[in-house]
């Protein structure tokens, strides 16, 4: 770390001056890029700040600069990759325009699509978590055992804890699901809350005259 | 488990695979099937295409372009029941209970819709309202999840096409990664392998081999007769005291009803759910009556 | 794509002398970057040219431009990564200045524990070896690419040989796994043989009832 000393000193002063020279030229950007190049899962701002030894605020601002930079809104050309915030952290992705090119290069079969039953079960778990298998089954009115197993095997859901009384396992979604959906947190799920709060009871006034 | 043709008459009617019940239900739902054939000849779907009773119900409702909240459920009840006829193999029967619950609720509603509505609010009407509300609520909830699952599907497909940087660490950095935490013994590992090789459909243990022991209504009636004749009156509670098997309690109750039909006993109940008091009332009773008692329930 | 127009024109101008027509569809530099972002091993110029569908000469020149670019000799800032030719191929590396940062980050990560998915995949490979990735994927009914990468990186499995016909790589387990399991050879793995012969079918009789 000793050879980074000058960088470490140089950086905070630039930030103190509020913006002007935060430019991607800052060594902080380089250090962030170095980390981004080696991670194999999204890295959150706090973890990233700890890794590069800079304040979170500075890291956040530099990330924004890098996003712009890669998108061609900086001084250089647009890049073939982009920086996305997905599943609770930042990660380098091939720019969408080039996905078909890369797909052709890596070959490989498209991952098997989830069945409609699996999708619906996944939706129930995402919105109702923590939720037991039998609760999911009663919402869907079908046995969901094998579907839950598929979702577990794919790492889209996980066992959270066992109910202290019944011992029934409660399930929830994983960060991997967020990544597969391309969203950053469960807050980004489309809202359907009015229907979910209490199932039966809340409907009396609204639905039945 | 597979019923042989001559056993079929006992099969549970709404889901029975046999021609007799199919024909019977056909006649009740004939119009709806006929209108299906006319209006949308293509709409012939096997039940296994529907992912549960709500899925089927939702489909039927949307086919008629009805709003769930406004829907005249009697219009779709016949079709729903008609589709239940496709529930005809053992595996589907295992999953049929939810279908039957929904079908029963639908039938209740249809009946209530056909009957003249009085001002009178009785317990049954309230229960029916509750059942309807519950069905609506669950159906709405189901529809919400079904709709949002399309969003999941879209996002997953879009993201499937994306490529993320996921590259092995350089050799020089790999050696610096923390030691792997390993806690599995060879046996644990083998157990894990078993799990990994297991078919992704969870094998489940069928309950088909479990049969409740048969209880004879005739035998139970004989016991009731013996007990009642020996005393002036007896409450039903006393009649079944000490009996643990629900099946015997049920059979004994049915035998009481049967004996009442034959005017062999009278009963008295002062308030709903109150004590049920039984009295022997037969003027002439021959034990031969017992022999034919409960014949309706014979298998 | 319209907003890429300036890039399209900007980059290839240098190349126009030699190869006037290469930049027709999308910026060659971007396409090259897209491929570079996802490769594990260095990629040769010819393979790269095939991947991006451009002449080797143009690819060579664009690579040179990118090297300069990442080193800060282009229009943008210097990057935290660099493009280096190693063993006859090109690949992105963390810039050496940041090696200590990366080392610290990697070493400071929480002691790793294999996920359930990784353990199950490892078990499949252990009992089925030599086995290809797609064979494992079909047994697991999920895509196992990233898990296989993890197991490789952890030294628990290794590439044995490429299938002579399909070229698919066959994987097997390493001595490191044996050590973890506390056994001396694969023969000491507890037998689960009935399952291996016929996969799913044999399972039903064995387990159910």
């Amino acid at each position: 770390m000793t050879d980074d000393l000058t960088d470490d000193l140089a950086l905070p002063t630039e930030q103190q001056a509020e913006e002007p020279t935060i430019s991607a030229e800052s060594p902080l950007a380089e250090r962030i890029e170095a980390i981004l190049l080696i991670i194999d899962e999204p890295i959150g701002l706090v973890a990233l700040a700890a890794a590069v030894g800079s304040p979170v605020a500075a890291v956040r601002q530099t990330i924004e600069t890098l996003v712009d930079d890669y998108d061609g809104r900086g001084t250089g050309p647009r890049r073939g990759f982009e920086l996305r915030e997905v599943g609770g952290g930042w990660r380098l992705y091939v720019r969408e325009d080039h996905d078909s090119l890369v797909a052709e290069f890596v070959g490989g079969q498209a991952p098997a699509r989830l069945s409609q039953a699996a999708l619906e079960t996944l939706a129930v778990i995402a919105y109702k978590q923590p939720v037991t298998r039998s609760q999911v089954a009663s919402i869907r009115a079908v046995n969901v055992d094998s579907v839950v197993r598929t979702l577990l095997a794919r790492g889209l859901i996980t066992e959270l804890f066992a109910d202290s009384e019944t011992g029934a396992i409660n399930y929830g979604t994983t960060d991997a699901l967020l990544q597969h959906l391309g969203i950053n947190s469960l807050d980004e799920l489309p809202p359907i809350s009015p229907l979910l709060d209490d199932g039966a009871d809340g409907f009396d006034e609204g639905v039945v005259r | 488990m597979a019923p042989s043709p001559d056993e079929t008459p006992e099969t549970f009617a709404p889901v029975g695979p046999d021609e007799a019940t199919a024909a019977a239900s056909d006649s009740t739902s004939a119009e709806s099937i006929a209108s299906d054939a006319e209006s949308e000849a293509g709409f012939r779907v096997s039940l296994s295409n529907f992912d549960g009773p709500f899925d089927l119900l939702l489909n039927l409702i949307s086919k008629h372009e009805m709003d769930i909240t406004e829907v005249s459920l009697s219009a779709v009840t016949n079709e729903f029941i008609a589709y239940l006829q496709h529930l005809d193999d053992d595996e589907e029967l295992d999953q049929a209970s939810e279908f039957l619950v929904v079908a029963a609720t639908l039938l209740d509603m249809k009946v209530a819709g056909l009957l003249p509505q009085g001002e009178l609010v009785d317990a049954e009407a309230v229960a029916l309202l509750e059942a309807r509300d519950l069905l609506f609520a669950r159906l709405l909830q189901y529809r919400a999840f079904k709709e949002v699952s399309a969003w999941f599907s879209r996002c997953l497909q879009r993201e499937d096409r994306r490529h993320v940087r996921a590259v092995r660490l350089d050799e020089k950095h790999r050696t610096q990664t923390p030691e792997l935490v390993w806690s599995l013994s060879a046996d644990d590992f083998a157990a894990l392998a078993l799990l990994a090789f297991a078919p992704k459909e969870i094998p489940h243990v069928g309950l088909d081999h479990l049969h409740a022991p048969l209880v004879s209504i005739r035998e139970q009636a004989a016991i009731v007769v013996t007990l009642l004749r020996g005393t002036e009156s007896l409450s039903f509670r006393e009649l079944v005291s000490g009996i643990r098997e629900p099946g015997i309690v049920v059979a004994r109750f049915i035998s009481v009803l049967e004996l009442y039909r034959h005017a062999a006993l009278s009963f008295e109940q002062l308030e709903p759910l109150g004590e049920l008091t039984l009295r022997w009332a037969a003027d002439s009773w021959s034990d031969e009556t017992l022999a034919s008692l409960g014949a309706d329930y014979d298998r």
Side-chain angles (χ1 to χ4, degrees), chain A residues 37 82 84 138 140 208, chain B residues 51 133 138 159 162 165:
Chain A
L37 201 72
E82 62 178 334
R84 295 174 72 203
S138 87
R140 302 210 43 248
V208 180
Chain B
D51 193 28
D133 291 353
R138 295 184 67 192
E159 209 59 24
R162 300 303 308 264
R165 175 163 174 93

Side-chain angles (χ1 to χ4, degrees), chain B residues 93-119:
Chain B
L93 275 177
D94 279 348
Q95 303 173 0
S97 58
E98 284 284 356
F99 279 94
L100 295 180
V101 169
V102 171
T105 313
L106 288 173
L107 275 177
D108 269 356
M109 291 176 194
K110 179 178 177 180
V111 168
L114 294 176
L115 291 177
Q117 300 287 313
E119 288 300 305

Side-chain angles (χ1 to χ4, degrees), chain B residues 267-288:
Chain B
F267 58 76
E268 183 176 81
Q269 190 174 29
L270 295 178
E271 52 180 359
L273 301 180
E275 192 80 341
L276 185 63
T277 308
L278 310 171
R279 246 178 260 281
W280 186 248
D283 298 330
S284 60
W285 174 261
S286 99
D287 283 349
E288 276 148 38

